[in-house]
Amino acid sequence: MRARAFGLRTRLVLAFLVVAAVSAGTTAALTYREARNALLETAQDTAVSSFREQVQQTGWRLPVGEEGMELVLRDIARRGKPHPWVVFAEYGSMRVSSGENPVSTVITPGLRRAARANPNGSFERVVKDGVPYLTIAMPTVFRTGPDTLLPSGLVVYAVMRMTDEQINIDAMLMAARDGALPGLVIALVPGLFAARSVLRPVRELRRAAQSMGSGQLDTRIPVRGSDELADLARTFNETAGKLELSVAELREAEARARRFASDVSHELRTPLAGMLAVTEVLDEDADRLDADTARAVRLVSAETGKLAVLVEDLMEISRFDARAAELNADEVDVAETIAKSLANRHWTDGRVRAELPDGIRARLDPRRFDLVIANLVGNALRHGGTPVTVRLRVETRSPGTPVLVTEVVDSGPGIRPEVLPHIFDRFYKADAARTRSAGSGLGLAITLENVRLHGGTIRAGNLPEGGAVFTVEIPLYAEEAGE
């Protein structure tokens, strides 16, 4: 069985892995987000509450001067939680810090505006040059009443690096990623199992369909469970049962029809032989009879001849239907065989032309090949126009197989397009209004069966310049290949 790159198994496993990956990724993302937020909020809340407490517990003296402010800010910075702070103070135009630079590049204008608007302080997370910071702004106030706060104009800022939190967050991200990959590998196992459980009934269905296609109509598949696949199996078995019954009835009817045609044809041969003998005698004496009697005798003789041909054709076609026809092949000179066939029927006058190159030999059944040529040429003379040309040649088909090609071409109007698909049907009449024909209506059908018996093909068509053409192609076997 040819492997398929994207067969049903592959698609099922991929779909299962995609669902598992989406589920694992979604779960990991949500877990990561919640853990990250919890980690950052814990560090943030600790720092904000600790800084607020430090600012509120510090006794600020107004007006604020730079003398001693740096020591106060360093004292606050030393008590920073959960990580050390760098503390900045802004009062009017005064800028003081516990670090080396009096002004921080991390504190944003937005945080300064929020500090002036909110006496309870504000904070902001900032990333500067790839380093995360927590910036806290805490204005100092004076309480002038139970619910009244008066800002002093002094704003204290704390800047804390959150490098440890970022390291922890990165570690969580790595853990989520590393944990997802083994999860996908583990998910592959149930994916393969699920694909196998789904594909097993599908394979059984395919094998059963192939078996039925080869003629084993009693094929059935086991039904397991009560799911959709089990319903499909039951439906297949029911359909197969009905098909087996229908085919059996059709075969029986076909066999009866074949036996009927064969029996009728066989029973008619003996009386027809006697009738033909009588009509031959009557034909000889027809000239001595009166005109009406002579016409009647000749009509009976002609119709008896047609009936005899029809009976012989029915016998022949019944042998094909019963697969009792045999091919008695022999190596023959094809050009000589065709010339004899034309001469035996007195088609050597100007009505039939032959283009038969010498030296072409093939393994054929001489009697059946003679019938093929006779039926095609006779059909061309009856329904086409003279002259009729018989051509013979050898062509090579892929992969290098030589083929014997025989063409019969007439000079008539050709075959109508609606007739071409039915030209080899039994008893088919191109003209529906024509109830009588010169032949039995089985000639081309018998020709088709004889060509098939040789392993060849036959086709009908029209030439561009007019006229019908019948082309017979039969595999050409050399003498040594046939021995």
Side-chain angles (χ1 to χ4, degrees):
M1 183 178 62
R2 183 173 60 89
R4 297 177 177 86
F6 292 98
L8 185 57
R9 172 192 289 271
T10 304
R11 294 199 298 270
L12 284 173
V13 172
L14 287 178
F16 196 91
L17 288 179
V18 167
V19 172
V22 171
S23 301
T26 303
T27 303
L30 293 176
T31 304
Y32 166 76
R33 188 186 66 179
E34 294 299 323
R36 175 181 178 275
N37 291 339
L39 184 63
L40 293 177
E41 287 175 1
T42 299
Q44 172 184 292
D45 293 345
T46 301
V48 171
S49 60
S50 177
F51 185 62
R52 180 183 291 113
E53 181 181 354
Q54 295 296 327
V55 172
Q56 291 176 354
Q57 290 179 357
T58 301
W60 305 98
R61 296 180 180 180
L62 297 178
V64 177
E66 293 185 14
E67 298 81 2
M69 177 60 70
E70 185 175 342
L71 295 176
V72 174
L73 296 181
R74 288 178 179 175
D75 183 61
I76 295 175
R78 281 194 299 270
R79 294 195 290 268
K81 295 179 183 179
H83 307 298
W85 300 332
V86 179
V87 183
F88 298 86
E90 295 182 359
Y91 183 75
S93 61
M94 184 187 72
R95 300 292 184 267
V96 184
S97 75
S98 64
E100 297 177 357
N101 298 320
V103 179
S104 172
T105 59
V106 179
I107 300 173
T108 63
L111 182 62
R112 289 187 173 92
R113 288 192 298 270
R116 290 193 295 269
N118 185 4
N120 294 319
S122 300
F123 63 89
E124 187 178 37
R125 287 201 293 265
V126 180
V127 178
K128 176 101 172 148
D129 298 330
V131 180
Y133 295 92
L134 174 65
T135 57
I136 309 170
M138 195 66 61
T140 59
V141 296
F142 294 103
R143 186 176 296 276
T144 59
D147 298 322
T148 304
L149 297 176
L150 181 65
S152 64
L154 173 63
V155 181
V156 184
Y157 299 91
V159 177
M160 182 182 73
R161 281 178 176 247
M162 302 189 75
T163 308
D164 292 345
E165 284 75 12
Q166 185 63 44
I167 293 174
N168 293 334
I169 291 172
D170 292 342
M172 286 192 299
L173 182 61
M174 293 288 291
R177 185 194 65 186
D178 295 342
L181 294 178
L184 289 178
V185 175
I186 295 174
L188 183 63
V189 176
L192 291 173
F193 179 78
R196 180 177 179 273
S197 64
V198 172
L199 289 178
R200 182 176 57 189
V202 174
R203 291 196 189 96
E204 292 176 350
L205 182 62
R206 177 180 60 81
R207 286 193 293 267
Q210 290 177 341
S211 179
M212 291 188 65
S214 64
Q216 301 178 14
L217 299 182
D218 58 344
T219 303
R220 301 294 184 271
I221 57 178
V223 180
R224 302 182 182 89
S226 58
D227 56 6
E228 290 82 356
L229 292 174
D231 293 338
L232 178 62
R234 277 189 284 271
T235 303
F236 176 86
N237 291 339
E238 293 172 0
T239 304
K242 294 178 181 178
L243 180 62
E244 182 182 13
L245 180 61
S246 300
V247 171
E249 293 175 351
L250 288 174
R251 286 175 176 172
E252 184 179 355
E254 183 182 6
R256 288 198 301 267
R258 286 199 303 267
R259 285 196 302 270
F260 175 77
S262 178
D263 293 344
V264 169
S265 302
H266 186 271
E267 293 298 327
L268 286 175
R269 293 183 74 181
T270 301
L272 275 175
M275 292 172 64
L276 287 173
V278 172
T279 55
E280 288 179 1
V281 174
L282 292 177
D283 279 341
E284 294 175 356
D285 297 335
D287 294 337
R288 294 191 295 270
L289 301 174
D290 60 85
D292 292 339
T293 304
R295 281 196 303 270
V297 167
R298 291 190 179 95
L299 177 62
V300 169
S301 178
E303 294 301 320
T304 303
K306 291 179 182 179
L307 183 59
V309 172
L310 175 61
V311 169
E312 290 299 325
D313 287 347
L314 284 174
M315 290 286 292
E316 184 71 8
I317 207 72
S318 64
R319 282 191 286 269
F320 282 115
D321 289 341
R323 290 175 175 79
E326 296 180 354
L327 189 70
N328 298 315
D330 192 10
E331 186 181 343
V332 298
D333 186 306
V334 183
E336 181 181 343
T337 302
I338 295 177
K340 287 181 180 179
S341 178
L342 298 178
N344 290 338
R345 292 164 179 82
H346 306 290
W347 288 337
T348 55
D349 52 8
R351 295 182 302 162
V352 180
R353 301 173 181 174
E355 299 176 5
L356 309 174
D358 296 330
I360 299 178
R361 302 185 66 82
R363 290 191 62 82
L364 302 171
D365 186 323
R367 183 184 71 85
R368 295 190 182 279
F369 189 70
D370 173 75
L371 286 176
V372 170
I373 299 300
N375 284 340
L376 291 180
V377 175
N379 182 78
L381 291 172
R382 283 192 301 270
H383 303 293
T386 57
V388 175
T389 304
V390 182
R391 299 192 183 101
L392 180 67
R393 64 180 183 273
V394 175
E395 295 182 356
T396 301
R397 296 285 185 266
S398 177
T401 303
V403 175
L404 178 70
V405 180
T406 307
E407 287 184 348
V408 177
V409 184
D410 63 47
S411 302
I415 306 171
R416 297 197 305 274
E418 66 273 14
V419 176
L420 276 174
H422 309 284
I423 196 70
F424 296 104
D425 292 352
R426 299 175 185 181
F427 299 108
Y428 179 76
K429 295 181 179 181
D431 186 0
R434 180 167 53 88
T435 58
R436 296 286 296 161
S437 61
S440 65
L442 293 172
L444 291 180
I446 293 175
T447 301
L448 173 65
E449 296 295 342
N450 278 313
V451 172
R452 286 177 174 172
L453 199 61
H454 282 85
T457 60
I458 182 172
R459 62 181 182 273
N462 294 311
L463 295 175
E465 62 272 15
V469 55
F470 287 82
T471 305
V472 177
E473 296 184 357
I474 298 176
L476 180 67
Y477 302 98
E479 182 177 355
E480 54 270 29
E483 293 180 350

